[in-house]
Amino acid sequence: MKADEDPRPTPAARAAATSRAGLSPARLAGLGALAGGVATAGLFLVLGGGRAAGPGPAGVAAAAQQTTPAAIDDSRRTAIVAAADRVGRSVVAIYARSTQQANPYAGTIWEDFFPFFRQPLPVQSLGSGFIYSAEGYVVTNHHVVADADSVHVTLMDGRSFPATIVGSDPTTDLAVLRIEGARGAPLPVAPLGTSADLLIGEWAIAIGNPFAPLLADANPSVTVGVISALHRDVRPEPGQEQVWTDMVQTDASINPGNSGGPLVNARGEVVGVNSFIFSRSGGSIGIGVAIPIDRVRRIADDLVRSGRVRLTWIGVHAQDVAAVDPADPVGVRVTVERVDPGSPAEKSGVRPGDGLLAANGRRVLSALDWQGRQLDFRAGDTVRLELVRTGASITLEVAAAPDPLAAAPESAAPLGLRLTALTPALRSYLGTAAESGLLVTAVAPGSPAQNIGLEQGDVILAIDNRRIASVDEGVALLRELSSRPRASLVWERRGQLFRWDG
């Protein structure tokens, strides 16, 4: 080669080489744009039969036009961007203030000297929620607003409003608030989807206000992942109120402050309410859990209509099989432990010892699974139970009824209590060991009964060492407590006995 010879091929030579390969320079430019993640509009123009630019400077100019800033901007506006924009405006930051009785010396050397000293201390909890109704209704978690004295919500646009708690349910960990005094611009409402058709592996977007105290604005944060698992059941810890069954798992980052915020699909529809995470450090490790939106709809409707969740009564209490028999072709994992007297299940012929295979066509995998499944039934629903009895499969239809607590007559009592008599049906329904007594159906906040330590669901067995035979007798004895120099109460809670002497 000569010193003055240009080693680069001429444009004509380049065109000839690419023609032998079956690709024009313009087509090469289109494929390069596609591989680089740029908008595919240019690719359609080339491969769809549009006029291809010839070789030389004109071809280079055509390729450059395919990667203009406008085309890049279009490619940035993905489905995830649209979904975050569609739902993000409806997400709110929730500030709940409460007063708790606590020992101000806790964690200091003085705690040993004053171990039982208590005084009211203000507590603020922070979380997320979203507006799901033009009337100003907001969904969040129960644990975000539990025992709150006041609640405020702040919208993404900076508007802040007081809110009232319409209803809150500890079992499902859901609460509904209502914004008060909204004026001016209409409230942004999140579109609700369904959790019935979720697919493992599809996009999932978590929106909320993590670590809100560290941020000076109300803009929510967006994290992206996939749906990791469906119908996830999480075993409760001792003393835990919540029933975590049929949950949606995601690896979209959920952190403190995200509780109550929406889990969103790629269509921009809410498919769950972010509730908790598994974590060793307190931060996200990619295992977040959300309440499915179909359950949220049902619970929110109950809370708005009546302020409480309308539970149903089937009357079947299940237990896990200790070890699945490998020779059992059906693979029974759950059996009927007991059937409530007078319950719909007893009337339909369900018996203790029956194997519980499925409910409404879906397999029952554990006793916890069955417990959670009942949260989705409504009074009047027909529940088709597939059972195994003495080796044969049978199907029974059970008409779900309102839970016996809802129909039980209750009476106001001294000390801030509401009571009802413990009937055989209630005893079986609640699983109490006591055969008689007074069931506590409500305890007024800040009342003497709460200070004593009584809780909803307790069964009062004795007052001043006297067994209780009726509600009237119990009310009379409780009324006399204040005039006695010494008094005592004995009650049962989840199989354990408690005693108060005062």
Side-chain angles (χ1 to χ4, degrees):
M1 181 180 297
K2 296 181 181 180
D4 61 346
E5 184 177 353
D6 187 351
R8 294 171 297 175
T10 63
R14 286 198 303 268
T18 53
S19 295
R20 286 194 297 271
L23 295 172
S24 68
R27 181 162 297 191
L28 283 174
L31 291 176
L34 178 62
V38 188
T40 59
L43 183 63
F44 278 109
L45 288 175
V46 173
L47 299 183
R51 187 171 59 182
V60 174
Q65 291 176 1
Q66 296 173 21
T67 57
T68 61
I72 294 174
D73 284 345
D74 287 342
S75 72
R76 293 168 57 201
R77 300 186 185 281
T78 64
I80 292 174
V81 172
D85 179 66
R86 189 181 186 198
V87 179
R89 287 169 288 183
S90 68
V91 177
V92 300
I94 298 176
Y95 303 85
R97 293 183 178 272
S98 62
T99 302
Q100 296 182 6
Q101 298 293 325
N103 188 337
Y105 301 111
T108 71
I109 60 173
W110 300 105
E111 184 176 9
D112 293 336
F113 295 95
F114 306 99
F116 301 108
F117 183 69
R118 296 288 186 273
Q119 72 178 35
L121 295 176
V123 177
Q124 177 170 290
S125 64
L126 303 167
S128 304
F130 59 92
I131 303 169
Y132 76 97
S133 164
E135 288 76 26
Y137 289 111
V138 175
V139 164
T140 186
N141 284 137
H142 163 81
H143 71 259
V144 171
V145 297
D147 302 319
D149 301 320
S150 65
V151 180
H152 277 76
V153 300
T154 301
L155 278 64
M156 181 178 174
D157 60 15
R159 289 183 291 169
S160 184
F161 303 98
T164 57
I165 301 176
V166 176
S168 193
D169 181 57
T171 301
T172 57
D173 195 25
L174 288 170
V176 173
L177 316 177
R178 189 168 191 180
I179 294 174
E180 296 179 349
R183 298 289 186 271
L187 294 173
V189 178
L192 304 185
T194 178
S195 49
D197 62 356
L198 287 176
L199 303 173
I200 295 175
E202 72 169 295
W203 288 115
I205 307 160
I207 309 179
N209 292 275
F211 302 104
L214 304 178
L215 305 176
D217 60 74
N219 292 329
S221 296
V222 176
T223 54
V224 179
V226 298
I227 300 296
S228 304
L230 299 171
H231 311 303
R232 181 69 81 196
D233 296 338
V234 181
R235 297 191 181 280
E237 297 179 356
Q240 181 177 298
E241 294 180 288
Q242 291 84 9
V243 176
W244 302 119
T245 64
D246 201 30
M247 305 291 280
V248 179
Q249 181 183 329
T250 180
D251 66 348
S253 294
I254 297 172
N255 287 290
N258 271 113
S259 290
L263 186 68
V264 181
N265 64 15
R267 294 194 190 109
E269 301 166 334
V270 180
V271 294
V273 173
N274 301 319
S275 295
F276 68 93
I277 61 175
F278 291 96
S279 176
R280 293 187 176 93
S281 62
S284 173
I285 60 171
I287 305 177
V289 183
I291 305 168
I293 195 63
D294 292 346
R295 176 175 295 173
V296 175
R297 287 174 182 266
R298 174 195 177 290
I299 300 302
D301 181 63
D302 281 353
L303 294 176
V304 169
R305 289 174 180 269
S306 60
R308 60 183 293 270
V309 178
R310 295 175 292 176
L311 298 176
T312 55
W313 188 30
I314 302 295
V316 171
H317 299 267
Q319 63 181 359
D320 294 323
V321 173
V324 178
D325 184 359
D328 181 2
V330 180
V332 175
R333 298 186 179 186
V334 182
T335 59
V336 177
E337 179 185 15
R338 69 177 188 274
V339 179
D340 293 339
S343 66
E346 184 186 60
K347 294 175 182 177
S348 296
V350 181
R351 301 175 188 172
D354 287 346
L356 181 55
L357 280 182
N360 288 343
R362 188 176 135 204
R363 194 68 190 267
V364 177
L365 300 176
S366 67
L368 180 63
D369 184 25
W370 169 245
Q371 184 182 359
R373 196 79 63 84
Q374 295 175 81
L375 296 173
D376 298 325
F377 300 148
R378 286 187 174 273
D381 287 352
T382 297
V383 181
R384 191 177 71 260
L385 298 180
E386 297 175 36
L387 307 169
V388 174
R389 182 179 299 165
T390 62
S393 297
I394 61 173
T395 299
L396 298 177
E397 292 188 345
V398 180
D403 74 275
L405 271 176
E410 60 178 10
S411 302
L415 308 183
L417 292 170
R418 296 192 70 83
L419 304 171
T420 190
L422 184 68
T423 64
L426 284 174
R427 179 192 174 207
S428 179
Y429 177 71
L430 298 170
T432 62
E435 296 184 359
S436 62
L438 302 181
L439 177 65
V440 177
T441 57
V443 179
S447 65
Q450 187 182 57
N451 293 334
I452 287 172
L454 287 167
E455 298 178 1
Q456 182 180 2
D458 290 346
V459 178
I460 299 176
L461 305 176
I463 302 174
D464 282 344
N465 297 320
R466 292 176 56 180
R467 299 285 298 188
I468 310 302
S470 68
V471 173
D472 291 341
E473 180 185 5
V475 169
L477 289 172
L478 288 171
R479 191 174 289 120
E480 297 173 4
L481 283 182
S482 59
S483 62
R484 294 177 180 270
R486 297 184 64 84
S488 67
L489 284 174
V490 178
W491 66 91
E492 178 198 334
R493 178 185 301 157
R494 292 186 285 272
Q496 290 185 311
L497 290 179
F498 295 83
R499 182 183 178 92
W500 170 83
D501 292 291

